[in-house]
Amino acid sequence: MPKTFPDNSVGLVVPQLMQFSEPLMLACGRELNNYQLAYETYGQLNANRSNAVLICHALSSNHHAAGYHEGDEKPGWWDACIGPGKPIDTQRFFVVCANNIGGCHGSTGPSSINPATGKPWGPDFPPLRARDWVHAQARLGDKLGIHQWAAIVGGSLGGMQAMRWSLEYPEKLRHCVVIASAMKLTAQNIAFNEIARNAIRSDPDFHQGNYAEYNTIPKRGLTLARMIGHVTYLSDDLMGRKFGRELRSGNFQQGSYNPVEFEVESYLHYQGDKFSEVFDANTYILITRILDYFDLAREYDDDPVKAFSQALCQFLVISFTTDWRFAPERSREITDALIAAGKDVCYAEIDAPQGHDAFLLPIERYLSLFAAYMQRVADEVSI
Amino acid sequence: MPKTFPDNSVGLVVPQLMQFSEPLMLACGRELNNYQLAYETYGQLNANRSNAVLICHALSSNHHAAGYHEGDEKPGWWDACIGPGKPIDTQRFFVVCANNIGGCHGSTGPSSINPATGKPWGPDFPPLRARDWVHAQARLGDKLGIHQWAAIVGGSLGGMQAMRWSLEYPEKLRHCVVIASAMKLTAQNIAFNEIARNAIRSDPDFHQGNYAEYNTIPKRGLTLARMIGHVTYLSDDLMGRKFGRELRSGNFQQGSYNPVEFEVESYLHYQGDKFSEVFDANTYILITRILDYFDLAREYDDDPVKAFSQALCQFLVISFTTDWRFAPERSREITDALIAAGKDVCYAEIDAPQGHDAFLLPIERYLSLFAAYMQRVADEVSI
């Protein structure tokens, strides 16, 4: 943990837990009882409860979006965008971020105990859809006394939740910020997710998801899954700049190969290893399935214009030029549908070499336009 | 096997074997003794031995480039381009294609017996570089009485070999055809290869490459490796057209997930499974390493112009618009270097949705310009 926090940090943060005893009816037809959500808040809720911003997290992140936990060297995953003077300015907003159900960082998920069996849910945890997350988040809002969000904000899978919010609870948000997202995945995206899941399932330590009973984790499979994901979150160009084709050994091995010879390989192994120690494999499978099945307009005759006609909020849509997993075309489709539906939408395509990861990074034009938009949102609150 | 072969097929083909007793000095400093190459030939060598064309194969293919083996339903991997009246016209050319050393389809490789131990080489097979393949191919040419090739042709890793030929044996070829290739891989390409290798190494049945001793094969790992490769050989666009987001079950499963729900997943599993039954895992690791290490200009002060200054032949370079694994930029770099080196080069960028796989497919403009170029090569032979 830094000895002193930066001025624009929310500082030390303590995660909280909220218990829910009323059953949550899920899209799959099953019910989830007695679940809990881990969440964090930053900033102060104002008197008329109108300055709340909900952050929706993506595949591999969680409720720890900003600031520092006791003992941590690194801040939360979106610290670049949340804090005093940052785009989501905690001097003006009350910010809420919850680990979604099905997650593995404190909210009820596959590694939680299934009350019916007294053992971890494992692979028997109900399959979820993004709308289940939205409903759970809405209940959390109710408990916190937030009946309308100033904005709901998310990148990637987080943007999918934000869009779903605008259709499911049109009166409950005034602004929807959708970053590096899509109305549905492409076949290529689904293919990469399936390969990642297959890597996990192929690991003999997976035991069809019941690894907890065997006192093991499918570490090799989860490492591979993360490596695959990681390559697709970066641009080819950035990988070239970051690693070039540098040999770790400085030169060829003669007569035999090193198992890991190039810098890029070493980096991927490190990232994969680290991830496999903190993330749950059943959660990874469950959340990639949520991504694959997400299809904003499915219940609206596959017509995005008809879908967005439900919405009452204003929209900010942002994409990044080198993001090939959630390409700018996908964001333009969102924007086009919003315009056709007569909605108020700002769209920005940010020139950035970092690929999909760009949405997490302090890129100047990105931060400044995001800040300008959010300032407008905050100014409305003050009126 | 079709009852009758198409008119433009080379028809029934019988693979041949060539034994080599003189040791081959390898780039790694080790020697390979008493090796063999499996190869096929199509067409007739003319009296002055001037009409020979060498085909260099890529990662997952072999010497069976055209025609049908006894009992086969499908022809060789490049049947679209080799045969009577096809771009590489077997009425005019004598075509040779060899399985490279290190391969697993009849040439000496990791699954061959190591004479020193009496057991399969496995992971102890010497690491190879593309130039080792080129030297082995040159010796095969010598044995066949071919002292100068009319053309050396290859796609992908095959194109890398063709380029290497032009520098190693400038007098031994008159034309070099480089399709969907690159002077070196990008960091992203290396990353995908390393993930594939890691998938194989992570399989407990791999036994550090000594799986033959355990009477098993790392089928799960090799399946994963192939799935990863396959996604990167196709374009996002093509996968969208081919599979869309169709659900195999026609609809959602309620309450639980099918392990394989989308058409694209089913396709990848099928491709991966099939491949894992016919390809050797140590060969896969070895050949992806050859790809990763290939760097045409490394010994020429990293200057491609200096490298290509060695060449004496003429060049045809072809790329495909949606190939993101060996992007058109890479082919333009080759072409630019050739022009700067004062070489005679034709370059064509073919508009095709199929990604890297396009080089194997009967795409009209591709075939017609390839045929036009090869006709010029054939006309020179006749003079």
Side-chain angles (χ1 to χ4, degrees), chain A residues 200-259:
Chain A
I200 294 169
R201 287 191 299 250
S202 295
D203 187 331
D205 287 332
F206 182 59
H207 298 290
Q208 298 181 294
N210 298 301
Y211 42 89
E213 290 182 38
Y214 293 81
N215 218 1
T216 183
I217 56 166
K219 186 165 164 45
R220 288 165 296 196
L222 197 53
T223 299
L224 270 170
R226 179 59 169 178
M227 290 170 84
I228 294 165
H230 212 88
V231 175
T232 67
Y233 303 146
L234 303 177
S235 71
D236 191 5
D237 189 35
L238 181 81
M239 294 186 86
R241 293 190 205 186
K242 195 163 178 174
F243 308 109
R245 294 170 40 91
E246 291 309 305
L247 292 165
R248 284 184 66 229
S249 52
N251 210 325
F252 287 109
Q253 285 291 106
Q254 291 288 309
S256 68
Y257 291 132
N258 272 337

Coordinates of all heavy atoms in Angstrom, one line a residue, chain A residues 200-259:
Chain A
I200 N -10.3 -25.1 -19.9 CA -10.6 -25.4 -18.5 C -11.2 -26.8 -18.3 O -10.7 -27.6 -17.5 CB -11.6 -24.4 -17.9 CG1 -10.9 -23.0 -17.8 CG2 -12.1 -24.8 -16.5 CD1 -11.8 -21.8 -17.5
R201 N -12.1 -27.1 -19.2 CA -12.8 -28.4 -19.1 C -11.8 -29.6 -19.3 O -12.0 -30.7 -18.8 CB -13.9 -28.5 -20.1 CG -15.1 -27.7 -19.7 CD -16.4 -28.1 -20.5 NE -16.1 -27.8 -22.0 CZ -16.7 -26.8 -22.6 NH1 -17.6 -26.0 -22.1 NH2 -16.4 -26.6 -23.9
S202 N -10.8 -29.3 -20.2 CA -9.8 -30.4 -20.5 C -8.8 -30.7 -19.4 O -8.1 -31.7 -19.4 CB -9.0 -29.9 -21.8 OG -9.8 -29.8 -22.9
D203 N -8.7 -29.8 -18.4 CA -7.8 -30.0 -17.3 C -8.3 -31.1 -16.4 O -9.4 -31.0 -15.9 CB -7.7 -28.6 -16.6 CG -6.6 -28.7 -15.5 OD1 -6.3 -29.8 -15.0 OD2 -6.0 -27.7 -15.2
P204 N -7.5 -32.1 -16.3 CA -8.0 -33.3 -15.4 C -8.3 -32.8 -14.0 O -9.1 -33.5 -13.3 CB -6.8 -34.2 -15.4 CG -6.0 -33.9 -16.6 CD -6.2 -32.4 -16.8
D205 N -7.8 -31.7 -13.5 CA -8.1 -31.2 -12.2 C -9.5 -30.5 -12.2 O -9.9 -30.0 -11.1 CB -7.0 -30.2 -11.7 CG -5.7 -31.0 -11.3 OD1 -5.9 -32.1 -10.9 OD2 -4.7 -30.4 -11.5
F206 N -10.1 -30.4 -13.3 CA -11.4 -29.7 -13.3 C -12.5 -30.6 -12.8 O -13.5 -30.1 -12.1 CB -11.8 -29.3 -14.8 CG -13.1 -28.5 -14.9 CD1 -13.3 -27.3 -14.3 CD2 -14.1 -29.0 -15.7 CE1 -14.5 -26.6 -14.4 CE2 -15.3 -28.3 -15.9 CZ -15.5 -27.1 -15.2
H207 N -12.4 -31.9 -13.0 CA -13.4 -32.8 -12.4 C -14.9 -32.4 -12.7 O -15.7 -32.3 -11.8 CB -13.2 -33.0 -10.9 CG -11.9 -33.6 -10.5 ND1 -11.5 -34.9 -10.8 CD2 -10.8 -33.0 -9.9 CE1 -10.3 -35.1 -10.4 NE2 -9.8 -34.0 -9.9
Q208 N -15.1 -32.0 -13.9 CA -16.4 -31.6 -14.4 C -17.0 -30.4 -13.5 O -18.2 -30.3 -13.3 CB -17.4 -32.7 -14.4 CG -16.9 -33.8 -15.5 CD -17.8 -34.9 -15.6 OE1 -18.0 -35.7 -14.7 NE2 -18.5 -35.0 -16.8
G209 N -16.1 -29.6 -13.0 CA -16.5 -28.5 -12.2 C -16.5 -28.7 -10.7 O -16.7 -27.8 -9.9
N210 N -16.4 -30.0 -10.3 CA -16.4 -30.4 -8.9 C -15.1 -30.4 -8.2 O -14.8 -31.2 -7.3 CB -17.1 -31.7 -8.7 CG -18.6 -31.7 -9.2 OD1 -19.4 -30.9 -8.8 ND2 -18.8 -32.5 -10.2
Y211 N -14.2 -29.5 -8.7 CA -12.8 -29.6 -8.2 C -12.6 -29.3 -6.7 O -11.7 -29.8 -6.1 CB -11.9 -28.6 -9.0 CG -12.5 -27.3 -9.3 CD1 -12.4 -26.2 -8.4 CD2 -13.2 -27.1 -10.5 CE1 -13.0 -25.0 -8.7 CE2 -13.8 -25.9 -10.8 CZ -13.7 -24.8 -9.9 OH -14.3 -23.6 -10.2
A212 N -13.6 -28.6 -6.1 CA -13.5 -28.3 -4.7 C -13.6 -29.6 -3.9 O -12.8 -29.7 -2.9 CB -14.6 -27.3 -4.3
E213 N -14.4 -30.5 -4.4 CA -14.5 -31.8 -3.7 C -13.2 -32.6 -3.7 O -12.9 -33.4 -2.9 CB -15.6 -32.6 -4.3 CG -17.0 -32.1 -4.1 CD -18.0 -33.0 -4.7 OE1 -17.8 -34.3 -4.6 OE2 -19.0 -32.5 -5.2
Y214 N -12.4 -32.3 -4.7 CA -11.1 -33.0 -4.9 C -10.0 -32.2 -4.3 O -8.8 -32.5 -4.5 CB -10.9 -33.3 -6.4 CG -11.8 -34.4 -6.9 CD1 -13.1 -34.0 -7.3 CD2 -11.5 -35.7 -7.0 CE1 -14.0 -34.9 -7.8 CE2 -12.4 -36.6 -7.5 CZ -13.6 -36.2 -7.9 OH -14.5 -37.2 -8.4
N215 N -10.3 -31.1 -3.7 CA -9.3 -30.2 -3.1 C -8.2 -29.8 -4.0 O -7.1 -29.8 -3.7 CB -8.7 -31.0 -1.9 CG -8.4 -30.1 -0.7 OD1 -8.7 -28.9 -0.8 ND2 -7.8 -30.6 0.3
T216 N -8.7 -29.4 -5.2 CA -7.7 -29.0 -6.3 C -8.3 -27.8 -7.1 O -9.5 -27.5 -6.8 CB -7.3 -30.2 -7.2 OG1 -6.4 -29.7 -8.1 CG2 -8.5 -30.7 -7.9
I217 N -7.6 -27.2 -7.9 CA -8.1 -26.2 -8.9 C -7.5 -26.5 -10.3 O -6.4 -27.0 -10.4 CB -7.9 -24.8 -8.5 CG1 -6.4 -24.5 -8.3 CG2 -8.6 -24.4 -7.2 CD1 -6.0 -23.0 -8.3
P218 N -8.3 -26.3 -11.3 CA -7.8 -26.5 -12.7 C -6.9 -25.4 -13.1 O -7.2 -24.6 -14.0 CB -9.1 -26.6 -13.5 CG -10.1 -25.7 -12.8 CD -9.7 -25.8 -11.3
K219 N -5.8 -25.3 -12.5 CA -4.9 -24.2 -12.7 C -4.3 -24.1 -14.1 O -4.3 -23.0 -14.7 CB -3.7 -24.3 -11.7 CG -2.8 -23.1 -11.6 CD -1.9 -23.2 -10.4 CE -0.7 -22.2 -10.5 NZ -1.0 -20.9 -11.1
R220 N -4.0 -25.3 -14.7 CA -3.4 -25.2 -16.0 C -4.5 -24.7 -17.0 O -4.2 -23.9 -17.9 CB -2.9 -26.6 -16.4 CG -1.7 -27.1 -15.7 CD -1.4 -28.5 -15.9 NE -2.5 -29.3 -15.3 CZ -2.5 -30.6 -15.0 NH1 -1.4 -31.3 -15.3 NH2 -3.5 -31.2 -14.4
G221 N -5.7 -25.2 -16.9 CA -6.7 -24.8 -17.8 C -7.1 -23.3 -17.7 O -7.3 -22.6 -18.7
L222 N -7.2 -22.9 -16.4 CA -7.5 -21.5 -16.2 C -6.4 -20.5 -16.7 O -6.6 -19.5 -17.2 CB -7.8 -21.2 -14.7 CG -8.6 -20.0 -14.3 CD1 -9.9 -19.8 -15.1 CD2 -8.9 -20.0 -12.8
T223 N -5.1 -21.0 -16.5 CA -4.0 -20.2 -17.0 C -4.1 -20.1 -18.6 O -4.0 -19.0 -19.1 CB -2.7 -20.9 -16.7 OG1 -2.6 -21.0 -15.3 CG2 -1.5 -20.2 -17.2
L224 N -4.4 -21.2 -19.2 CA -4.5 -21.1 -20.7 C -5.7 -20.2 -21.1 O -5.6 -19.4 -22.0 CB -4.8 -22.5 -21.2 CG -3.6 -23.4 -21.6 CD1 -4.1 -24.8 -21.9 CD2 -3.0 -22.8 -22.8
A225 N -6.8 -20.3 -20.4 CA -8.0 -19.5 -20.7 C -7.6 -18.0 -20.6 O -8.0 -17.2 -21.5 CB -9.1 -19.8 -19.8
R226 N -6.9 -17.7 -19.6 CA -6.5 -16.3 -19.4 C -5.5 -15.8 -20.5 O -5.6 -14.7 -21.0 CB -5.9 -16.1 -18.0 CG -5.5 -14.7 -17.7 CD -6.6 -13.7 -17.8 NE -6.2 -12.4 -17.3 CZ -7.0 -11.3 -17.3 NH1 -8.2 -11.4 -17.8 NH2 -6.6 -10.2 -16.8
M227 N -4.6 -16.7 -20.9 CA -3.7 -16.4 -21.9 C -4.4 -16.1 -23.2 O -4.1 -15.1 -23.9 CB -2.6 -17.5 -22.1 CG -1.7 -17.7 -20.9 SD -0.7 -19.2 -21.1 CE 0.7 -18.7 -22.1
I228 N -5.4 -16.9 -23.5 CA -6.1 -16.7 -24.8 C -6.8 -15.4 -24.7 O -6.8 -14.6 -25.6 CB -7.2 -17.8 -25.0 CG1 -6.4 -19.2 -25.2 CG2 -8.1 -17.5 -26.1 CD1 -7.3 -20.4 -25.1
G229 N -7.5 -15.1 -23.6 CA -8.2 -13.9 -23.4 C -7.3 -12.7 -23.5 O -7.5 -11.7 -24.3
H230 N -6.2 -12.8 -22.9 CA -5.2 -11.7 -22.8 C -4.8 -11.3 -24.2 O -4.7 -10.1 -24.5 CB -4.0 -12.0 -21.9 CG -3.5 -10.8 -21.3 ND1 -4.0 -10.4 -20.0 CD2 -2.6 -9.9 -21.6 CE1 -3.3 -9.3 -19.7 NE2 -2.5 -9.0 -20.6
V231 N -4.4 -12.2 -25.1 CA -4.0 -11.9 -26.4 C -5.0 -11.1 -27.2 O -4.8 -10.2 -27.9 CB -3.6 -13.1 -27.2 CG1 -3.2 -12.8 -28.6 CG2 -2.4 -13.8 -26.5
T232 N -6.3 -11.5 -26.9 CA -7.4 -10.9 -27.7 C -7.7 -9.5 -27.2 O -8.4 -8.8 -27.8 CB -8.6 -11.8 -27.8 OG1 -9.2 -11.9 -26.4 CG2 -8.3 -13.2 -28.3
Y233 N -7.3 -9.2 -25.9 CA -7.6 -7.9 -25.4 C -6.6 -6.9 -25.8 O -6.8 -5.7 -25.7 CB -7.6 -7.9 -23.8 CG -8.6 -8.9 -23.3 CD1 -8.4 -9.6 -22.1 CD2 -9.8 -9.2 -24.0 CE1 -9.3 -10.5 -21.6 CE2 -10.7 -10.1 -23.5 CZ -10.5 -10.7 -22.3 OH -11.4 -11.6 -21.8
L234 N -5.5 -7.3 -26.3 CA -4.4 -6.4 -26.8 C -4.4 -6.3 -28.3 O -4.9 -7.2 -29.0 CB -3.0 -6.9 -26.3 CG -2.8 -7.1 -24.8 CD1 -1.5 -7.7 -24.6 CD2 -3.1 -5.8 -24.1
S235 N -3.9 -5.2 -28.8 CA -3.8 -5.1 -30.3 C -2.5 -5.7 -30.7 O -1.5 -5.8 -30.0 CB -3.9 -3.7 -30.8 OG -2.7 -3.0 -30.4
D236 N -2.5 -6.2 -32.0 CA -1.2 -6.8 -32.6 C -0.2 -5.7 -32.5 O 1.0 -5.9 -32.1 CB -1.5 -7.1 -34.0 CG -0.4 -7.9 -34.7 OD1 0.5 -8.3 -33.9 OD2 -0.5 -8.2 -35.9
D237 N -0.6 -4.5 -32.9 CA 0.4 -3.3 -32.9 C 1.0 -3.1 -31.5 O 2.2 -3.0 -31.3 CB -0.4 -2.1 -33.3 CG 0.4 -0.9 -33.6 OD1 1.6 -1.1 -34.0 OD2 0.0 0.2 -33.3
L238 N 0.1 -3.1 -30.5 CA 0.7 -2.8 -29.1 C 1.6 -4.0 -28.7 O 2.7 -3.7 -28.1 CB -0.5 -2.7 -28.1 CG 0.0 -2.5 -26.7 CD1 0.3 -1.0 -26.5 CD2 -0.9 -2.9 -25.6
M239 N 1.2 -5.2 -29.0 CA 2.1 -6.3 -28.6 C 3.5 -6.1 -29.3 O 4.5 -6.4 -28.7 CB 1.5 -7.6 -29.0 CG 0.3 -7.9 -28.2 SD -0.4 -9.6 -28.5 CE 0.6 -10.5 -27.3
G240 N 3.4 -5.7 -30.5 CA 4.7 -5.4 -31.2 C 5.5 -4.4 -30.6 O 6.7 -4.5 -30.3
R241 N 4.8 -3.3 -30.2 CA 5.6 -2.2 -29.5 C 6.1 -2.6 -28.1 O 7.2 -2.2 -27.7 CB 4.6 -1.0 -29.3 CG 4.2 -0.3 -30.5 CD 3.5 1.0 -30.2 NE 2.6 1.4 -31.2 CZ 1.9 2.5 -31.2 NH1 2.1 3.4 -30.3 NH2 1.1 2.8 -32.2
K242 N 5.3 -3.4 -27.4 CA 5.6 -3.7 -26.1 C 6.7 -4.8 -26.0 O 7.6 -4.8 -25.1 CB 4.3 -4.3 -25.4 CG 4.3 -4.4 -23.9 CD 2.9 -4.5 -23.3 CE 2.9 -4.6 -21.8 NZ 1.5 -4.6 -21.3
F243 N 6.6 -5.8 -26.9 CA 7.5 -7.0 -26.8 C 8.4 -7.1 -28.0 O 9.4 -7.8 -27.9 CB 6.7 -8.3 -26.6 CG 5.7 -8.2 -25.5 CD1 4.3 -8.1 -25.8 CD2 6.1 -8.2 -24.2 CE1 3.4 -8.1 -24.8 CE2 5.2 -8.2 -23.2 CZ 3.8 -8.1 -23.5
G244 N 8.0 -6.5 -29.1 CA 8.7 -6.7 -30.3 C 8.8 -8.2 -30.5 O 7.9 -9.0 -30.3
R245 N 10.0 -8.7 -30.9 CA 10.2 -10.1 -31.0 C 11.4 -10.5 -30.1 O 12.3 -11.3 -30.4 CB 10.5 -10.5 -32.4 CG 9.3 -10.4 -33.3 CD 9.7 -10.6 -34.8 NE 10.6 -11.7 -34.9 CZ 10.3 -12.9 -35.1 NH1 9.0 -13.2 -35.2 NH2 11.2 -13.8 -35.2
E246 N 11.6 -9.7 -29.0 CA 12.8 -9.9 -28.2 C 12.9 -11.3 -27.6 O 11.9 -11.9 -27.1 CB 12.7 -8.9 -27.0 CG 12.9 -7.5 -27.4 CD 14.1 -7.3 -28.3 OE1 15.2 -7.7 -27.9 OE2 14.0 -6.8 -29.4
L247 N 14.0 -11.9 -27.7 CA 14.3 -13.2 -27.1 C 14.7 -13.0 -25.7 O 15.5 -12.1 -25.3 CB 15.5 -13.9 -27.8 CG 15.1 -14.3 -29.3 CD1 16.4 -14.6 -30.0 CD2 14.2 -15.5 -29.3
R248 N 14.1 -13.7 -24.8 CA 14.5 -13.6 -23.3 C 15.9 -13.9 -23.1 O 16.6 -13.3 -22.3 CB 13.6 -14.5 -22.5 CG 12.2 -14.1 -22.3 CD 11.4 -15.0 -21.4 NE 12.0 -14.9 -20.0 CZ 12.3 -16.0 -19.3 NH1 12.1 -17.2 -19.8 NH2 12.7 -15.8 -18.1
S249 N 16.4 -14.9 -23.8 CA 17.8 -15.3 -23.6 C 18.8 -14.4 -24.3 O 20.0 -14.6 -24.2 CB 18.0 -16.7 -24.1 OG 17.5 -16.8 -25.4
G250 N 18.3 -13.4 -25.0 CA 19.2 -12.5 -25.7 C 19.6 -13.1 -27.1 O 20.1 -12.4 -27.9
N251 N 19.5 -14.4 -27.2 CA 19.9 -15.0 -28.5 C 19.3 -16.4 -28.6 O 18.6 -16.9 -27.7 CB 21.5 -15.1 -28.5 CG 21.9 -15.1 -30.0 OD1 21.3 -15.6 -30.9 ND2 23.1 -14.4 -30.1
F252 N 19.5 -17.1 -29.7 CA 19.0 -18.4 -29.8 C 19.7 -19.4 -28.8 O 20.9 -19.3 -28.6 CB 19.3 -19.0 -31.2 CG 18.5 -18.4 -32.2 CD1 19.0 -17.5 -33.1 CD2 17.1 -18.7 -32.3 CE1 18.2 -16.9 -34.1 CE2 16.4 -18.1 -33.3 CZ 16.9 -17.2 -34.2
Q253 N 19.0 -20.3 -28.4 CA 19.6 -21.5 -27.8 C 20.1 -22.4 -28.9 O 19.3 -22.6 -29.9 CB 18.6 -22.3 -27.0 CG 18.2 -21.7 -25.7 CD 19.3 -21.8 -24.7 OE1 19.9 -20.7 -24.4 NE2 19.6 -22.9 -24.2
Q254 N 21.2 -22.9 -28.9 CA 21.7 -23.8 -29.9 C 21.4 -25.2 -29.5 O 21.6 -25.6 -28.4 CB 23.2 -23.7 -30.1 CG 23.6 -22.3 -30.7 CD 23.3 -22.3 -32.2 OE1 23.6 -23.1 -33.0 NE2 22.6 -21.2 -32.6
G255 N 20.8 -26.0 -30.4 CA 20.7 -27.4 -30.2 C 19.4 -27.8 -29.5 O 19.0 -28.9 -29.5
S256 N 18.8 -26.9 -28.8 CA 17.5 -27.2 -28.1 C 16.8 -25.9 -27.9 O 17.4 -24.8 -27.9 CB 17.8 -27.9 -26.8 OG 18.4 -27.0 -25.9
Y257 N 15.5 -26.0 -27.6 CA 14.7 -24.8 -27.4 C 14.5 -24.6 -25.9 O 14.4 -25.5 -25.1 CB 13.3 -24.9 -28.0 CG 13.3 -24.9 -29.5 CD1 12.6 -25.9 -30.1 CD2 14.0 -24.0 -30.2 CE1 12.5 -25.9 -31.5 CE2 13.9 -24.0 -31.6 CZ 13.2 -25.0 -32.2 OH 13.1 -25.0 -33.6
N258 N 14.6 -23.3 -25.5 CA 14.0 -23.0 -24.2 C 12.5 -23.1 -24.2 O 11.9 -22.8 -25.3 CB 14.3 -21.5 -23.8 CG 15.6 -21.3 -23.2 OD1 16.2 -22.3 -22.6 ND2 16.2 -20.1 -23.2
P259 N 11.9 -23.6 -23.2 CA 10.4 -23.6 -23.2 C 9.8 -22.3 -23.5 O 8.8 -22.1 -24.2 CB 10.0 -24.2 -21.8 CG 11.3 -24.5 -21.1 CD 12.4 -24.0 -21.9

